[in-house]
Amino acid sequence: DEPCTPPVASVADNDESPAPALPPSMESVTLIDEDEVLKIRSSEEFLQRLHCDTRSKVKVVAIFGNSGDGKSYTLNHVFFDGGEVFQTSEQQESCTRGVWAAYDPRLCAIVLDTEGLLGATANEQGRLRLLMKVLAVSDVIIYRTRAERLHNDTFTFLADASEAYCAYFTQELAAAAKRCGLGQSRIGPAA
């Protein structure tokens, strides 16, 4: 694998050119539906549907937070120049069900949009399991909130997630680190 090298704007007459535009057909795809069913059959299909370069190393960026707090809107503006790659709604209820993915070729980032917490659902435990899976594969996690401070349940969830991550993935991470010639400190959640 070669490292992803985002395009660099050329400089002419000491004036910076604008950053390269995103492809006009950017869209997100359902990765996991609200019933925790993986909607992509293979890594090849995943890369093809996201129009991701198969030779590049990428980072995975995920967002989570409460329903209606602007997660999809935030991702659209931070990664996709405000284009509606992830569906948004002005309603308080969540319009994102499950996990959706899109690829930002400028930053070599796979961006994951998640279903909101505290929204109406018949399966709260399923939603938490879904979020745990997303946290396990993400390099960067964004917690989006409109609150002035974090609530205790957020800290409790993150502590539980960290504990579960360490309990279930420590051996797999050590094996992956050994195969890749990395030290254990380079893999896994940062404390």
Side-chain angles (χ1 to χ4, degrees), residues 70-111:
K71 294 177 301 301
S72 301
Y73 177 88
T74 299
L75 292 177
N76 287 338
H77 284 271
V78 169
F79 292 95
F80 304 107
D81 295 337
E84 192 158 316
V85 173
F86 295 106
Q87 181 183 354
T88 61
S89 170
E90 294 190 17
Q91 306 299 321
Q92 183 64 28
E93 62 191 48
S94 178
C95 62
T96 302
R97 300 280 185 226
V99 179
W100 289 71
Y103 178 64
D104 179 346
R106 297 176 304 177
L107 298 175
C108 301
I110 295 174
V111 182

Coordinates of all heavy atoms in Angstrom, one line a residue, residues 70-111:
G70 N -27.0 17.6 14.4 CA -26.3 18.1 13.2 C -25.1 17.3 12.8 O -24.1 17.8 12.2
K71 N -25.1 16.0 13.0 CA -23.9 15.1 12.6 C -23.7 15.1 11.1 O -22.6 15.4 10.6 CB -24.1 13.7 13.2 CG -24.1 13.7 14.7 CD -24.3 12.3 15.2 CE -25.6 11.7 14.8 NZ -26.8 12.4 15.2
S72 N -24.8 14.8 10.4 CA -24.7 14.7 8.9 C -24.3 16.1 8.3 O -23.5 16.2 7.4 CB -26.0 14.3 8.3 OG -26.3 13.0 8.8
Y73 N -24.9 17.2 8.8 CA -24.6 18.5 8.4 C -23.2 18.9 8.6 O -22.5 19.4 7.7 CB -25.5 19.5 9.2 CG -25.3 20.9 8.8 CD1 -25.9 21.6 7.8 CD2 -24.4 21.7 9.6 CE1 -25.7 22.9 7.5 CE2 -24.1 23.0 9.3 CZ -24.8 23.6 8.3 OH -24.5 24.9 8.0
T74 N -22.7 18.5 9.8 CA -21.2 18.8 10.1 C -20.3 18.1 9.1 O -19.4 18.7 8.6 CB -20.9 18.3 11.6 OG1 -21.8 19.1 12.4 CG2 -19.5 18.5 11.9
L75 N -20.6 16.8 8.9 CA -19.7 16.0 7.9 C -19.8 16.6 6.5 O -18.8 16.8 5.9 CB -20.1 14.6 7.9 CG -19.9 13.8 9.2 CD1 -20.4 12.3 9.0 CD2 -18.4 13.8 9.6
N76 N -21.0 17.0 6.1 CA -21.1 17.6 4.8 C -20.3 18.9 4.6 O -19.7 19.1 3.6 CB -22.6 17.9 4.5 CG -23.4 16.6 4.2 OD1 -22.9 15.6 3.8 ND2 -24.7 16.8 4.4
H77 N -20.3 19.7 5.7 CA -19.6 21.0 5.6 C -18.1 20.8 5.8 O -17.3 21.5 5.2 CB -20.2 22.0 6.5 CG -21.5 22.5 6.0 ND1 -21.5 23.6 5.2 CD2 -22.7 22.0 6.1 CE1 -22.8 23.8 4.8 NE2 -23.5 22.9 5.3
V78 N -17.7 19.9 6.7 CA -16.2 19.7 7.0 C -15.5 19.0 5.9 O -14.4 19.4 5.5 CB -16.0 19.0 8.3 CG1 -14.6 18.6 8.6 CG2 -16.5 19.9 9.5
F79 N -16.2 18.0 5.3 CA -15.5 17.1 4.3 C -15.9 17.3 2.9 O -15.1 17.1 2.0 CB -15.7 15.6 4.7 CG -15.0 15.2 6.0 CD1 -15.6 15.2 7.2 CD2 -13.6 14.9 5.9 CE1 -15.0 14.9 8.3 CE2 -13.0 14.5 7.1 CZ -13.7 14.5 8.3
F80 N -17.1 17.8 2.7 CA -17.7 17.8 1.3 C -18.2 19.2 0.8 O -19.1 19.3 0.1 CB -18.8 16.8 1.2 CG -18.3 15.4 1.6 CD1 -18.6 14.8 2.8 CD2 -17.4 14.7 0.8 CE1 -18.2 13.5 3.2 CE2 -16.9 13.4 1.1 CZ -17.3 12.9 2.3
D81 N -17.5 20.2 1.3 CA -17.8 21.6 0.9 C -19.3 22.0 1.0 O -19.8 22.8 0.2 CB -17.3 21.8 -0.6 CG -15.8 21.8 -0.7 OD1 -15.1 22.0 0.3 OD2 -15.3 21.5 -1.8
G82 N -20.0 21.4 1.9 CA -21.4 21.7 2.1 C -22.4 21.0 1.2 O -23.6 21.1 1.3
G83 N -21.8 20.1 0.3 CA -22.7 19.3 -0.5 C -23.4 18.3 0.3 O -22.9 17.8 1.3
E84 N -24.7 17.9 -0.1 CA -25.4 17.0 0.7 C -25.1 15.5 0.3 O -25.8 14.8 -0.3 CB -26.9 17.2 0.6 CG -27.7 16.4 1.7 CD -29.0 16.9 2.0 OE1 -29.2 18.1 2.2 OE2 -29.9 16.1 2.1
V85 N -23.9 15.1 0.8 CA -23.4 13.8 0.6 C -24.2 12.9 1.6 O -24.6 11.8 1.2 CB -21.9 13.7 0.8 CG1 -21.4 12.2 0.8 CG2 -21.2 14.5 -0.3
F86 N -24.3 13.3 2.8 CA -25.1 12.6 3.8 C -26.4 13.4 3.9 O -26.4 14.6 4.1 CB -24.4 12.6 5.2 CG -23.1 11.8 5.1 CD1 -21.9 12.4 5.2 CD2 -23.1 10.4 5.1 CE1 -20.7 11.7 5.1 CE2 -22.0 9.7 5.0 CZ -20.8 10.3 5.1
Q87 N -27.5 12.6 3.9 CA -28.9 13.2 4.0 C -29.0 14.0 5.3 O -28.6 13.5 6.4 CB -29.9 12.2 3.9 CG -31.3 12.7 3.9 CD -32.4 11.6 3.9 OE1 -32.1 10.4 3.8 NE2 -33.6 12.0 4.1
T88 N -29.6 15.2 5.3 CA -29.9 16.0 6.4 C -31.4 16.3 6.5 O -32.1 16.2 5.5 CB -29.1 17.3 6.4 OG1 -29.5 18.1 5.3 CG2 -27.6 17.1 6.4
S89 N -31.8 16.8 7.7 CA -33.2 17.1 7.9 C -33.2 18.3 8.9 O -32.4 18.4 9.8 CB -34.0 15.9 8.5 OG -35.2 16.3 8.9
E90 N -34.2 19.1 8.8 CA -34.4 20.2 9.7 C -35.2 19.8 10.9 O -35.4 20.5 11.9 CB -35.0 21.4 9.0 CG -34.1 22.0 8.0 CD -34.5 23.4 7.5 OE1 -35.4 24.0 8.2 OE2 -34.0 23.8 6.5
Q91 N -35.7 18.5 10.9 CA -36.5 18.0 12.0 C -35.5 17.5 13.1 O -34.4 17.1 12.8 CB -37.3 16.8 11.5 CG -38.2 17.2 10.3 CD -39.2 18.3 10.6 OE1 -39.8 18.3 11.7 NE2 -39.4 19.2 9.7
Q92 N -36.1 17.4 14.3 CA -35.3 16.9 15.4 C -35.1 15.4 15.3 O -34.0 14.9 15.8 CB -36.0 17.3 16.7 CG -35.2 16.9 18.0 CD -33.9 17.6 18.1 OE1 -33.7 18.7 17.7 NE2 -32.9 17.0 18.8
E93 N -36.0 14.7 14.7 CA -35.9 13.3 14.6 C -34.8 12.9 13.6 O -34.5 13.6 12.7 CB -37.2 12.6 14.2 CG -37.7 13.0 12.9 CD -39.1 12.6 12.6 OE1 -40.0 12.8 13.5 OE2 -39.3 12.1 11.5
S94 N -34.2 11.8 13.8 CA -33.0 11.3 13.0 C -33.5 10.9 11.6 O -34.5 10.2 11.5 CB -32.4 10.1 13.7 OG -31.3 9.7 12.9
C95 N -32.7 11.3 10.6 CA -33.0 10.9 9.3 C -31.9 9.8 8.9 O -32.0 9.2 7.8 CB -33.0 12.0 8.3 SG -31.5 13.0 8.1
T96 N -30.9 9.7 9.7 CA -29.8 8.7 9.4 C -30.2 7.4 10.2 O -30.3 7.5 11.4 CB -28.4 9.2 9.8 OG1 -28.2 10.4 9.1 CG2 -27.4 8.2 9.5
R97 N -30.3 6.3 9.4 CA -30.5 5.0 10.1 C -29.3 4.1 9.8 O -28.9 4.0 8.6 CB -31.8 4.4 9.5 CG -33.0 5.2 9.8 CD -33.5 5.0 11.2 NE -34.8 5.7 11.4 CZ -35.0 6.5 12.4 NH1 -34.1 6.6 13.4 NH2 -36.2 7.1 12.6
G98 N -28.8 3.5 10.8 CA -27.6 2.6 10.6 C -26.4 3.5 10.4 O -26.2 4.5 11.0
V99 N -25.5 3.0 9.5 CA -24.2 3.6 9.3 C -24.0 3.9 7.8 O -24.2 2.9 7.0 CB -23.0 2.8 9.8 CG1 -21.7 3.5 9.5 CG2 -23.1 2.5 11.3
W100 N -23.7 5.1 7.4 CA -23.5 5.5 6.0 C -22.0 5.8 5.8 O -21.4 6.3 6.7 CB -24.4 6.6 5.6 CG -25.8 6.2 5.5 CD1 -26.6 5.9 6.6 CD2 -26.6 6.1 4.4 NE1 -27.9 5.6 6.1 CE2 -27.9 5.7 4.8 CE3 -26.3 6.2 3.0 CZ2 -28.9 5.4 3.8 CZ3 -27.3 6.0 2.1 CH2 -28.6 5.6 2.5
A101 N -21.5 5.6 4.6 CA -20.1 5.9 4.3 C -19.9 6.7 3.1 O -20.7 6.5 2.1 CB -19.3 4.6 4.2
A102 N -18.9 7.5 3.0 CA -18.5 8.3 1.8 C -17.0 8.4 1.9 O -16.4 8.4 2.9 CB -19.2 9.6 1.8
Y103 N -16.4 8.7 0.7 CA -15.0 8.8 0.6 C -14.6 10.3 0.2 O -15.2 10.8 -0.8 CB -14.5 7.8 -0.4 CG -13.0 7.9 -0.7 CD1 -12.1 7.7 0.4 CD2 -12.5 8.3 -1.9 CE1 -10.7 7.7 0.2 CE2 -11.1 8.4 -2.1 CZ -10.2 8.1 -1.1 OH -8.9 8.2 -1.3
D104 N -13.7 10.9 0.9 CA -13.2 12.2 0.6 C -11.9 12.0 0.0 O -10.9 11.7 0.7 CB -13.1 13.1 1.8 CG -12.6 14.5 1.5 OD1 -12.0 14.7 0.4 OD2 -12.7 15.3 2.4
P105 N -11.8 12.1 -1.4 CA -10.5 11.8 -2.0 C -9.4 12.9 -1.8 O -8.2 12.6 -1.9 CB -10.9 11.8 -3.5 CG -12.1 12.7 -3.6 CD -12.8 12.5 -2.3
R106 N -9.8 14.1 -1.3 CA -8.8 15.1 -1.1 C -8.1 14.8 0.2 O -6.9 15.1 0.3 CB -9.5 16.5 -1.0 CG -10.2 16.9 -2.3 CD -10.9 18.2 -2.1 NE -11.9 18.1 -1.0 CZ -12.6 19.1 -0.6 NH1 -12.5 20.3 -1.2 NH2 -13.5 18.9 0.3
L107 N -8.8 14.3 1.2 CA -8.1 14.0 2.5 C -7.8 12.5 2.6 O -7.3 12.1 3.7 CB -9.0 14.4 3.6 CG -9.3 15.9 3.7 CD1 -10.3 16.2 4.8 CD2 -8.0 16.7 3.9
C108 N -8.2 11.7 1.6 CA -8.0 10.2 1.7 C -8.6 9.7 3.0 O -8.0 9.0 3.8 CB -6.5 9.8 1.7 SG -5.7 10.4 0.2
A109 N -9.9 10.1 3.2 CA -10.6 9.7 4.4 C -12.0 9.0 4.0 O -12.7 9.5 3.2 CB -10.9 10.9 5.2
I110 N -12.2 7.9 4.6 CA -13.5 7.2 4.6 C -14.3 7.8 5.8 O -13.8 7.7 6.9 CB -13.4 5.7 4.7 CG1 -12.7 5.2 3.4 CG2 -14.8 5.1 4.8 CD1 -12.4 3.7 3.5
V111 N -15.4 8.5 5.5 CA -16.2 9.2 6.5 C -17.4 8.4 6.8 O -18.2 8.0 5.9 CB -16.5 10.6 6.0 CG1 -17.3 11.4 7.0 CG2 -15.3 11.3 5.5

